[in-house]
Amino acid sequence: MHLISIRDFSKDKLLTWVEEINQYDQNLNSFFNCHPDKVIALAFFEPSTRTTLSFSAAAQRLGARVIGFNDASSSSTVKGETLEDTIQVCASFSNAIVMRHPQEGAAYQASKVSEVPIINGGDGGNEHPTQTLLDLYTISKHFDLEAMGNKHFLIAGDIARSRTINSLTYALAKLKANLTFVEVGNIKLKSAHRNELEALGAKIDIAQGYSPDLVKSADVVYCTRIQKERWPLDSDLQPPIFTQDLLEVLPKTSIVMSPLPRLDELPSSLDHDPRVIIFNQVKNGVPTRMMILEKVLEA
């Protein structure tokens, strides 16, 4: 079983998987050393901190061994080896492959040649489904996922080219959430993405920057850095910045999330506020990815 896209998940499957993540989170010790005979390959053609470390920690908690690389320059890619050949080599040594690649569609491409499960750890500006699962689990600790039709999400940052935003909003659309995308300058929601989200059942609004009235109505603020590596070098890109003044008008029951890494869009001076839960998100990566590994290894 491959894990390539959140598009492949139904609403019921999303809810079931989130509930299973909770079971892992509440009973981590019960799953130690379940798979001492397994090997997980981490094939990261782009840099990673949270995804690679949490998958490595998850695999080791399950008793599996971890091999791989966290930089394309340390693989035979630099010698001209094709993605297909690299993946088949990794598959020869492992029981599952977690991969990240700068090319959109690379995970799907890899799944066509791999004899072992492929888990998409991010493919260019396309998707990041395992991040979405940990984000949904994080949200579920604060709100009922079956009542997302009553919740308002502010989606800010690189709404044009962020794979984390893409995957998360696909999932939220299936849960019938209300989404407001914050546009700034040239950073605009793609019409094709909007159409797909609306077809899935999301209610979409567009805002020009943050405003106090907008923030007052938000249950979740989700902000990302600008993905400068996916834009032309001469692009003039300035993210919307979530300030202390905005935090002060955010409802007490609301939360602020980010997939990290962050730059200027979410100042670290706000981290003292319990509504800013970005490092709780990070911690939720291990039980999430333990559950995912268990799913693909047992499929």
Side-chain angles (χ1 to χ4, degrees):
M1 180 186 75
H2 303 296
L3 175 53
I4 305 300
S5 171
I6 284 293
R7 289 179 174 95
D8 298 330
F9 281 70
S10 65
K11 174 184 175 180
D12 287 345
K13 184 175 179 180
L14 286 171
L15 294 173
T16 298
W17 279 41
V18 168
E19 177 54 36
E20 291 188 30
I21 295 168
N22 183 57
Q23 294 173 22
Y24 276 76
D25 196 12
Q26 299 303 315
N27 302 282
L28 277 181
N29 292 339
S30 299
F31 299 96
F32 281 169
N33 296 319
C34 291
H35 294 289
D37 59 333
K38 303 298 184 184
V39 175
I40 306 300
L42 305 182
F44 279 67
F45 298 85
E46 270 190 332
S48 169
T49 301
R50 282 150 298 279
T51 304
T52 186
L53 288 179
S54 61
F55 263 115
S56 180
Q60 292 180 63
R61 283 175 180 269
L62 292 172
R65 287 157 289 175
V66 179
I67 61 173
F69 54 88
N70 196 29
D71 185 340
S73 65
S74 63
S75 75
S76 289
T77 300
V78 296
K79 302 175 183 177
E81 184 172 70
T82 65
L83 172 64
E84 289 84 355
D85 283 1
T86 301
I87 291 302
Q88 290 181 89
V89 168
C90 290
S92 299
F93 305 142
S94 66
N95 301 100
I97 300 169
V98 184
M99 68 169 287
R100 170 171 292 182
H101 200 280
Q103 176 186 323
E104 294 186 11
Y108 176 77
Q109 184 179 345
S111 73
K112 294 302 177 184
V113 299
S114 178
E115 294 183 354
V116 302
I118 297 291
I119 299 171
N120 184 3
D123 59 331
N126 183 33
E127 282 208 53
H128 196 345
T130 72
Q131 177 70 42
T132 291
L133 290 168
L134 77 85
D135 286 344
L136 288 180
Y137 177 57
T138 303
I139 293 165
S140 77
K141 291 188 171 186
H142 299 266
F143 304 109
D144 181 359
L145 293 185
E146 300 218 47
M148 287 294 97
N150 298 321
K151 300 303 176 185
H152 181 203
F153 288 75
L154 289 189
I155 310 295
D158 200 339
I159 61 175
R161 305 193 181 194
S162 168
R163 58 193 171 208
T164 56
I165 285 178
N166 286 347
S167 284
L168 178 61
T169 53
Y170 288 138
L172 292 175
K174 294 182 180 190
L175 298 172
K176 313 304 181 188
N178 302 292
L179 308 176
T180 296
F181 289 86
V182 180
E183 293 186 345
V184 177
N186 294 326
I187 307 170
K188 300 182 183 299
L189 180 65
K190 293 179 180 179
S191 58
H193 187 47
R194 175 172 185 164
N195 292 340
E196 187 171 3
L197 295 177
E198 289 179 331
L200 290 170
K203 299 171 185 176
I204 307 293
D205 285 312
I206 302 296
Q208 301 303 314
Y210 288 123
S211 70
D213 286 343
L214 185 64
V215 171
K216 284 178 184 177
S217 71
D219 296 291
V220 179
V221 179
Y222 191 93
C223 47
T224 74
R225 70 183 176 92
I226 303 302
Q227 317 283 297
K228 291 185 178 180
E229 66 271 27
R230 309 195 201 289
W231 288 83
L233 292 177
D234 60 351
S235 297
D236 182 18
L237 305 169
Q238 299 297 324
I241 298 175
F242 196 78
T243 64
Q244 179 67 44
D245 289 344
L246 293 171
L247 186 62
E248 288 176 2
V249 301
L250 185 72
K252 297 300 183 183
T253 56
S254 299
I255 55 176
V256 179
M257 301 176 67
S258 166
L260 300 177
R262 62 176 164 181
L263 299 176
D264 300 330
E265 74 284 350
L266 183 61
S268 59
S269 59
L270 306 184
D271 291 356
H272 68 280
D273 193 292
R275 292 168 294 176
V276 180
I277 60 168
I278 56 177
F279 293 108
N280 289 336
Q281 280 177 267
V282 172
K283 291 178 183 178
N284 290 334
V286 171
T288 297
R289 285 157 174 150
M290 286 176 69
M291 187 278 293
I292 290 168
L293 288 172
E294 180 76 12
K295 285 280 190 186
V296 302
L297 290 173
E298 292 298 320

